[in-house]
Amino acid sequence: REMLPYNQEDIVAIATPPGVGALAIVRISGISLIKLYKGFTNKEPKNRFASFSKLYHPQKKTVLDEVVVTYFASPNSFTGEDVIEISCHGGEAVKNSIVHAALDSGVRLAEPGEFTFRSFLNGKMDLIQAEAVSALISSKTSLSSEISLHHLGGRVSAVLLDIKTKIVTVLSIIENELN
Protein backbone atom coordinates (compact mmCIF):
# COMPACT_ATOMS: atom_id res chain seq x y z
CA ARG A 1 0.00 0.00 0.00
CA GLU A 2 1.41 3.42 -0.92
CA MET A 3 2.17 5.87 1.87
CA LEU A 4 -0.35 8.69 1.92
CA PRO A 5 0.82 12.18 2.95
CA TYR A 6 -1.30 12.44 6.11
CA ASN A 7 -1.98 10.72 9.41
CA GLN A 8 -4.02 7.65 8.48
CA GLU A 9 -5.87 7.25 11.77
CA ASP A 10 -9.57 6.44 11.56
CA ILE A 11 -11.65 9.59 12.14
CA VAL A 12 -15.25 10.27 13.22
CA ALA A 13 -17.49 13.33 13.18
CA ILE A 14 -21.12 14.27 13.36
CA ALA A 15 -21.90 15.41 9.81
CA THR A 16 -25.15 17.24 10.58
CA PRO A 17 -25.50 20.68 12.19
CA PRO A 18 -25.50 21.02 15.98
CA GLY A 19 -28.83 20.87 17.74
CA VAL A 20 -31.69 18.41 17.92
CA GLY A 21 -33.39 17.20 14.77
CA ALA A 22 -35.26 14.08 13.77
CA LEU A 23 -32.12 12.54 12.26
CA ALA A 24 -28.36 12.97 12.47
CA ILE A 25 -25.47 11.54 10.48
CA VAL A 26 -22.28 10.24 12.04
CA ARG A 27 -19.48 9.64 9.55
CA ILE A 28 -16.35 7.53 10.03
CA SER A 29 -13.45 7.33 7.58
CA GLY A 30 -10.32 5.20 7.66
CA ILE A 31 -8.07 2.76 5.87
CA SER A 32 -9.93 -0.44 6.84
CA LEU A 33 -13.29 -0.22 8.61
CA ILE A 34 -14.77 -3.69 7.98
CA LYS A 35 -14.04 -4.88 11.54
CA LEU A 36 -15.55 -1.69 13.02
CA TYR A 37 -18.66 -2.05 10.82
CA LYS A 38 -19.10 -5.64 12.04
CA GLY A 39 -18.65 -4.48 15.66
CA PHE A 40 -21.34 -1.84 15.26
CA THR A 41 -23.87 -4.00 13.38
CA ASN A 42 -23.00 -7.70 13.85
CA LYS A 43 -23.34 -7.89 10.04
CA GLU A 44 -21.04 -8.18 7.06
CA PRO A 45 -20.82 -4.88 5.15
CA LYS A 46 -22.26 -4.65 1.64
CA ASN A 47 -20.62 -1.90 -0.38
CA ARG A 48 -22.87 1.11 -1.04
CA PHE A 49 -25.88 -0.62 0.55
CA ALA A 50 -28.02 1.16 3.15
CA SER A 51 -28.99 -1.33 5.84
CA PHE A 52 -31.50 -0.87 8.64
CA SER A 53 -29.84 -2.25 11.75
CA LYS A 54 -29.53 -2.11 15.49
CA LEU A 55 -26.29 -0.32 16.29
CA TYR A 56 -24.18 -1.82 19.07
CA HIS A 57 -21.28 -0.47 21.08
CA PRO A 58 -18.44 -2.54 19.58
CA GLN A 59 -16.87 -3.30 23.00
CA LYS A 60 -19.77 -3.20 25.47
CA LYS A 61 -22.27 -4.83 23.06
CA THR A 62 -25.06 -2.53 24.33
CA VAL A 63 -27.63 -1.24 21.83
CA LEU A 64 -27.03 2.43 20.96
CA ASP A 65 -29.87 3.04 18.47
CA GLU A 66 -31.73 1.65 15.48
CA VAL A 67 -30.11 3.20 12.43
CA VAL A 68 -29.58 3.11 8.70
CA VAL A 69 -25.92 2.37 8.12
CA THR A 70 -24.09 2.50 4.80
CA TYR A 71 -20.61 1.17 4.09
CA PHE A 72 -18.52 2.66 1.27
CA ALA A 73 -15.43 0.61 0.38
CA SER A 74 -12.21 2.35 -0.62
CA PRO A 75 -11.57 3.94 -3.09
CA ASN A 76 -15.22 4.57 -4.01
CA SER A 77 -16.15 6.96 -1.22
CA PHE A 78 -16.05 10.69 -0.57
CA THR A 79 -12.63 10.45 1.11
CA GLY A 80 -11.21 7.64 -1.02
CA GLU A 81 -10.94 5.55 2.17
CA ASP A 82 -13.45 3.15 3.71
CA VAL A 83 -16.39 5.18 5.04
CA ILE A 84 -19.23 4.26 7.37
CA GLU A 85 -22.22 6.61 7.40
CA ILE A 86 -24.68 6.14 10.22
CA SER A 87 -28.09 7.84 10.00
CA CYS A 88 -29.35 7.81 13.57
CA HIS A 89 -32.00 9.54 15.64
CA GLY A 90 -31.06 13.18 16.15
CA GLY A 91 -31.00 13.48 19.93
CA GLU A 92 -27.75 14.72 21.43
CA ALA A 93 -27.37 11.65 23.65
CA VAL A 94 -27.84 9.24 20.72
CA LYS A 95 -25.36 10.80 18.32
CA ASN A 96 -22.83 11.43 21.09
CA SER A 97 -23.09 7.79 22.26
CA ILE A 98 -22.23 6.66 18.71
CA VAL A 99 -19.25 9.01 18.52
CA HIS A 100 -18.05 7.82 21.95
CA ALA A 101 -18.42 4.17 20.88
CA ALA A 102 -16.22 4.96 17.86
CA LEU A 103 -13.69 6.71 20.13
CA ASP A 104 -13.71 3.68 22.46
CA SER A 105 -12.85 1.60 19.36
CA GLY A 106 -9.69 3.60 18.61
CA VAL A 107 -11.15 6.16 16.21
CA ARG A 108 -10.32 9.82 16.87
CA LEU A 109 -12.41 12.96 16.40
CA ALA A 110 -11.92 14.54 12.99
CA GLU A 111 -10.59 18.04 12.72
CA PRO A 112 -12.85 20.56 10.92
CA GLY A 113 -12.57 19.95 7.17
CA GLU A 114 -10.55 16.75 7.58
CA PHE A 115 -12.92 14.58 5.52
CA THR A 116 -12.64 17.02 2.59
CA PHE A 117 -8.86 17.27 3.12
CA ARG A 118 -8.54 13.49 2.82
CA SER A 119 -10.73 13.55 -0.27
CA PHE A 120 -8.38 16.11 -1.84
CA LEU A 121 -5.21 14.22 -0.89
CA ASN A 122 -6.65 10.95 -2.22
CA GLY A 123 -7.42 12.54 -5.60
CA LYS A 124 -11.20 12.49 -5.21
CA MET A 125 -11.37 16.23 -5.90
CA ASP A 126 -9.02 19.04 -6.86
CA LEU A 127 -8.20 22.08 -4.74
CA ILE A 128 -10.88 24.27 -6.35
CA GLN A 129 -13.51 21.62 -5.61
CA ALA A 130 -12.27 21.20 -2.03
CA GLU A 131 -12.53 24.95 -1.48
CA ALA A 132 -16.01 24.86 -3.05
CA VAL A 133 -17.16 22.40 -0.36
CA SER A 134 -16.23 24.92 2.33
CA ALA A 135 -17.85 27.78 0.40
CA LEU A 136 -21.02 25.76 -0.18
CA ILE A 137 -21.30 24.90 3.51
CA SER A 138 -20.91 28.55 4.51
CA SER A 139 -22.97 30.08 1.66
CA LYS A 140 -25.83 32.31 2.72
CA THR A 141 -27.49 33.07 -0.62
CA SER A 142 -28.75 30.96 -3.49
CA LEU A 143 -26.30 32.71 -5.87
CA SER A 144 -23.27 31.84 -3.74
CA SER A 145 -24.57 28.24 -3.45
CA GLU A 146 -24.96 28.05 -7.22
CA ILE A 147 -21.42 29.34 -7.82
CA SER A 148 -19.99 26.87 -5.30
CA LEU A 149 -21.88 24.00 -6.95
CA HIS A 150 -20.34 24.95 -10.33
CA HIS A 151 -16.90 24.85 -8.74
CA LEU A 152 -17.67 21.57 -6.98
CA GLY A 153 -18.85 20.06 -10.26
CA GLY A 154 -15.41 20.70 -11.75
CA ARG A 155 -16.48 23.28 -14.35
CA VAL A 156 -13.89 25.85 -13.30
CA SER A 157 -11.20 23.18 -13.15
CA ALA A 158 -12.10 22.01 -16.67
CA VAL A 159 -11.90 25.58 -18.03
CA LEU A 160 -8.53 26.13 -16.34
CA LEU A 161 -7.21 22.83 -17.72
CA ASP A 162 -8.30 23.87 -21.22
CA ILE A 163 -6.55 27.25 -20.84
CA LYS A 164 -3.40 25.50 -19.55
CA THR A 165 -3.40 23.12 -22.53
CA LYS A 166 -3.72 26.04 -24.96
CA ILE A 167 -0.90 27.96 -23.26
CA VAL A 168 1.40 24.92 -23.37
CA THR A 169 0.59 24.47 -27.07
CA VAL A 170 1.39 28.13 -27.83
CA LEU A 171 4.61 27.97 -25.80
CA SER A 172 5.64 24.82 -27.69
CA ILE A 173 5.07 26.56 -31.02
CA ILE A 174 7.02 29.63 -29.90
CA GLU A 175 9.91 27.49 -28.61
CA ASN A 176 9.97 25.54 -31.88
CA GLU A 177 10.07 28.77 -33.92
CA LEU A 178 12.93 30.15 -31.80
CA ASN A 179 15.10 27.08 -32.43
Side-chain angles (χ1 to χ4, degrees):
R1 188 155 185 93
E2 76 181 74
M3 189 63 179
L4 299 174
Y6 61 88
N7 184 327
Q8 296 175 29
E9 294 173 311
D10 298 338
I11 56 173
V12 63
I14 297 170
T16 44
V20 178
L23 297 173
I25 296 172
V26 177
R27 185 175 290 146
I28 303 167
S29 184
I31 298 302
S32 180
L33 298 180
I34 292 173
K35 182 179 176 187
L36 184 60
Y37 182 95
K38 289 178 185 178
F40 271 126
T41 64
N42 293 331
K43 297 178 182 180
E44 290 289 327
K46 293 182 191 175
N47 189 33
R48 303 178 78 78
F49 180 79
S51 173
F52 180 73
S53 177
K54 285 189 177 183
L55 195 77
Y56 301 91
H57 188 293
Q59 280 73 43
K60 299 175 185 173
K61 305 301 179 197
T62 55
V63 175
L64 301 172
D65 194 11
E66 289 189 340
V67 302
V68 174
V69 59
T70 309
Y71 178 79
F72 299 90
S74 168
N76 300 314
S77 70
F78 176 73
T79 61
E81 302 173 332
D82 286 359
V83 170
I84 300 171
E85 282 194 359
I86 302 166
S87 297
C88 61
H89 290 97
E92 292 292 327
V94 173
K95 57 190 174 187
N96 287 334
S97 72
I98 294 169
V99 169
H100 286 288
L103 296 175
D104 291 345
S105 301
V107 179
R108 72 166 171 80
L109 282 175
E111 298 292 328
E114 190 168 3
F115 285 86
T116 304
F117 179 65
R118 288 182 178 203
S119 180
F120 166 70
L121 289 178
N122 288 322
K124 303 304 283 185
M125 62 176 63
D126 63 29
L127 187 57
I128 292 172
Q129 291 170 311
E131 290 175 344
V133 169
S134 176
L136 188 58
I137 290 168
S138 62
S139 64
K140 299 203 182 338
T141 67
S142 59
L143 178 59
S144 63
S145 293
E146 186 178 330
I147 291 167
S148 296
L149 283 170
H150 286 300
H151 291 211
L152 186 57
R155 291 181 185 169
V156 172
S157 299
V159 168
L160 291 175
L161 181 60
D162 184 51
I163 291 169
K164 177 184 173 187
T165 302
K166 289 176 181 172
I167 290 171
V168 168
T169 301
V170 169
L171 288 174
S172 297
I173 292 168
I174 292 170
E175 184 178 345
N176 188 43
E177 290 298 319
L178 292 176
N179 287 333

